[in-house]
């Protein structure tokens, strides 16, 4: 079809696409046919067999992200597809999300809009571009129009990640309002039967929201199991701690970021009427504090471990697994018999099998009996697409420790 570049890929990439994946790496591209940054392209195998339509990046190691197994004839076809996929994403959230006004509306590959993230925070919507294709003004406008059409959103902010923009060789861009005037609000998280916990959210503050949307259902799962005295490690802005405070007699929450803890304290004030007691917020390095507490014989009835991603790629995996094991080993030593451990990893490079093996070794080293009660992942507004394992990244193990 005239006007749309035809990008040829090798057998390895063609097999990956046929098996359900949607990425083609730069090393697997044979001929780019002069495609421009962010272009809509047709993908063909080594024998020129058509494989579908994709968006192209001139900078990323992920050179192609497949949009459709069909050949889109024009840019208009692409914009129509975007509208259809956005409608499907909105309809899916209406079915799956209950009693929460904060959730992921579009989850990139999980919603077949690769490289695009859209979140809802009450009456503020946040859009993030992760690849060159969605930075084009006509496409950004089409996305904005569809958000308004299907959600009646009045306030839309674009969150600009400078590191991603540099990697995609996009010009510097400040986060800004795309539509409306309101960028700050109060959200209510609810992933279970308990009343929603409230959090401050400011799309233009530079901080991520403290209520991680992918953990929404895991917050409720932790609160359903935890009792007594609880410790929340790497609390950030208080996601787990604020849920635990409703059911536990005492909650201590630690993080290395003073700025995050200040926001956590503001979030606590929003929920003061529902909490059993005040939360003890501590600025500390998790590894150092757990080492000291374990050595001092400190004991808890529930411990949550939710560290940042230790392994951003597979080359970081050995060091990451050592870090996970040290945290979990210290926590196991500090849990009273019958205590609850909630331990998480948001590193895609760490498989659930490897994470469970690490936990097994930590249990053996501490001579503790660990019963896994739940094997959980990200909340349902972050759908896992079969064939694209990268869309399943969050591990959350809820266990009883004897």
């Amino acid at each position: 079809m005239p006007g749309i570049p035809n990008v040829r890929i090798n057998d390895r990439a063609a097999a990956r696409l046929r098996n359900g994946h949607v990425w083609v790496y730069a090393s697997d591209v044979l001929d780019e046919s002069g495609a421009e940054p962010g272009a809509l392209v047709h993908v063909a195998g080594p024998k020129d067999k058509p494989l579908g339509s994709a968006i192209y990046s001139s900078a990323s190691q992920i050179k192609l992200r497949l949009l459709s197994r069909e050949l889109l004839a024009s840019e208009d076809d692409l914009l129509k597809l975007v509208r259809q996929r956005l409608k499907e994403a909105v309809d899916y959230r209406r079915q799956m999300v209950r009693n929460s006004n904060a959730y992921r509306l579009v989850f990139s590959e999980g919603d077949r809009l690769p490289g695009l993230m859209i979140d809802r925070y009450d009456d503020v919507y946040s859009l993030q571009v992760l690849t060159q294709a969605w930075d084009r003004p006509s496409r950004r406008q089409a996305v904005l129009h569809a958000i308004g059409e299907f959600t009646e959103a009045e306030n839309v902010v674009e969150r600009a990640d400078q590191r991603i923009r540099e990697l995609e060789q996009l010009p510097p861009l400040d986060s800004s309002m795309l539509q409306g005037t309101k960028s700050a609000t109060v959200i209510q998280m609810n992933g279970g039967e308990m009343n929603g916990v409230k959090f401050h959210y400011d799309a233009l503050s530079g901080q991520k929201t403290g209520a991680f949307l992918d953990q929404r259902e895991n917050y409720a799962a932790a609160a359903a199991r935890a009792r007594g005295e609880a410790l929340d490690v790497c609390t950030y802005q208080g996601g787990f701690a604020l849920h635990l405070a409703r059911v536990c007699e005492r909650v201590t929450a630690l993080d290395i970021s003073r700025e995050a803890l200040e926001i956590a304290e503001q979030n606590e004030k929003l929920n003061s009427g529902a909490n059993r007691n005040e939360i003890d917020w501590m600025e500390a390095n998790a590894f150092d504090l757990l080492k000291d507490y374990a050595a001092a014989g400190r004991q808890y009835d529930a411990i949550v471990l939710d560290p940042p991603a230790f392994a951003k790629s597979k080359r970081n995996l050995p060091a990451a697994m050592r870090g996970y094991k040290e945290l979990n080993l210290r926590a196991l030593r500090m849990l009273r018999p019958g205590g609850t451990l909630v331990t998480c990893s948001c590193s895609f490079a760490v498989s659930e099998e490897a994470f469970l093996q690490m936990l097994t070794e930590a249990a053996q080293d501490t001579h503790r009996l660990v019963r896994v009660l739940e094997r959980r992942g990200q909340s349902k507004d972050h759908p896992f697409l079969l064939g694209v394992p990268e869309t399943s990244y969050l591990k959350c193990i809820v266990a009883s420790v004897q």
Side-chain angles (χ1 to χ4, degrees):
M1 297 179 186
I4 299 181
N6 201 55
V7 176
R8 286 197 309 116
I9 62 176
N10 62 20
D11 282 324
R12 180 173 58 184
R16 187 184 306 115
L17 294 183
R18 285 194 294 269
N19 288 334
H21 213 295
V22 295
W23 290 354
V24 175
Y25 296 102
S27 58
D28 292 329
V29 173
L30 302 175
D31 181 7
E32 300 178 19
S33 298
E36 296 181 355
L40 170 66
V41 301
H42 292 156
V43 185
K47 296 181 181 179
D48 290 329
K49 181 177 180 180
L51 296 170
S53 302
I55 48 177
Y56 169 84
S57 172
S58 62
S60 175
Q61 286 302 304
I62 305 172
K63 188 67 69 173
L64 302 174
R65 298 172 189 252
L66 198 70
L67 278 174
S68 172
R69 306 283 166 176
E70 307 296 326
L71 296 181
L72 302 179
S74 65
E75 181 73 10
D76 283 346
D77 281 355
L78 170 60
L79 299 184
K80 289 176 183 175
L81 183 66
V82 168
R83 181 183 180 278
Q84 175 190 331
R85 297 272 169 85
L86 267 162
K87 183 179 186 304
E88 291 171 356
V90 171
D91 289 344
Y92 171 76
R93 272 67 184 184
R94 285 175 177 158
Q95 294 176 36
M96 303 306 295
V97 180
R98 295 284 184 270
N99 304 318
S100 181
N101 62 7
Y103 49 84
R104 178 142 291 174
L105 190 69
V106 171
F107 180 45
S108 193
E109 282 79 4
D111 286 297
R112 298 183 297 164
L113 287 168
L116 184 66
M117 297 284 199
I118 303 173
D119 294 326
R120 178 192 173 187
Y121 299 100
D122 189 24
D123 53 353
V124 176
Y125 288 73
S126 170
L127 178 150
Q128 190 173 27
V129 165
L130 305 178
T131 191
Q132 293 173 350
W134 305 114
D135 202 53
R136 293 191 173 190
S138 60
R139 295 176 187 169
R140 185 187 276 104
Q141 191 59 39
V143 169
L144 191 62
H145 184 269
I147 294 172
E149 179 183 359
F150 299 126
T151 70
E152 300 181 356
E154 296 182 359
N155 305 291
V156 184
V157 177
E158 178 167 1
R159 292 289 301 250
D161 186 316
Q162 299 306 328
R163 185 186 68 85
I164 289 175
R165 293 188 69 83
E166 288 175 10
L167 291 173
E168 285 287 318
Q169 296 179 6
L170 293 169
L173 182 72
D174 291 331
S175 297
S176 63
M177 298 297 307
L178 295 179
Q179 180 176 296
T181 59
K182 183 178 181 181
S183 65
T185 188
V186 171
I187 61 174
Q188 182 168 298
M189 302 286 283
N190 194 336
E193 298 303 319
M194 64 188 297
N195 293 329
V197 176
K198 296 177 182 178
F199 295 84
H200 289 284
Y201 174 72
D202 187 346
L204 296 179
S205 70
Q207 283 266 339
K208 292 181 180 178
T209 173
F212 286 107
L213 300 179
D214 54 5
Q215 290 278 29
R216 190 182 69 253
E217 295 163 16
N218 297 332
Y219 292 150
R225 300 283 184 183
R227 294 296 182 272
E229 189 175 2
L231 176 66
D232 180 17
V233 179
C234 301
T235 189
Y236 193 53
Q237 294 175 14
F240 277 103
L242 289 164
H243 286 76
L244 297 178
R246 296 194 167 191
V247 296
C248 292
E249 295 172 8
R250 182 179 177 186
V251 177
T252 302
L254 68 97
D255 201 275
I256 200 168
S257 168
R258 165 46 48 187
E259 184 179 5
L261 289 172
E262 289 172 353
I263 298 173
E265 290 175 346
Q266 296 172 21
N267 289 333
E268 182 183 14
K269 291 176 183 176
L270 278 177
N271 298 276
S272 58
N275 295 347
R276 296 183 65 175
N277 292 290
E278 289 186 1
I279 299 170
D280 182 15
W281 305 102
M282 297 186 61
E283 181 181 356
N285 178 290
F287 290 96
D288 294 342
L289 190 78
L290 289 189
K291 181 179 180 181
D292 291 344
Y293 274 19
R298 292 290 295 267
Q299 295 282 287
Y300 293 89
D301 301 293
I303 297 179
V304 174
L305 303 175
D306 186 23
F310 287 162
K312 296 195 181 283
S313 67
K314 291 189 176 180
R315 68 175 176 272
N316 306 129
L317 197 53
M321 298 313 297
R322 289 193 296 271
Y324 284 123
K325 184 176 178 181
E326 181 176 345
L327 285 181
N328 281 272
L329 188 141
R330 305 287 184 199
L332 288 174
R333 285 181 175 153
M334 293 162 58
L335 277 165
R336 296 186 177 104
T340 298
L341 174 68
V342 179
T343 180
C344 308
S345 168
C346 59
S347 301
F348 162 71
V350 177
S351 67
E352 185 182 63
E353 180 182 9
F355 194 64
L356 285 169
Q357 180 59 35
M358 172 280 302
L359 189 57
T360 300
E361 293 171 3
Q364 291 169 346
D365 289 352
T366 54
H367 308 290
R368 303 300 299 267
L369 175 66
V370 178
R371 293 189 177 96
V372 173
L373 305 177
E374 296 183 69
R375 297 162 65 165
R376 306 181 60 85
Q378 64 248 29
S379 55
K380 297 182 184 69
D381 51 351
H382 293 62
F384 166 30
L385 188 64
L386 286 176
V388 188
E390 291 82 358
T391 57
S392 177
Y393 62 94
L394 181 62
K395 280 74 60 179
C396 177
I397 304 299
V398 182
S400 173
V401 179
Q402 295 295 330

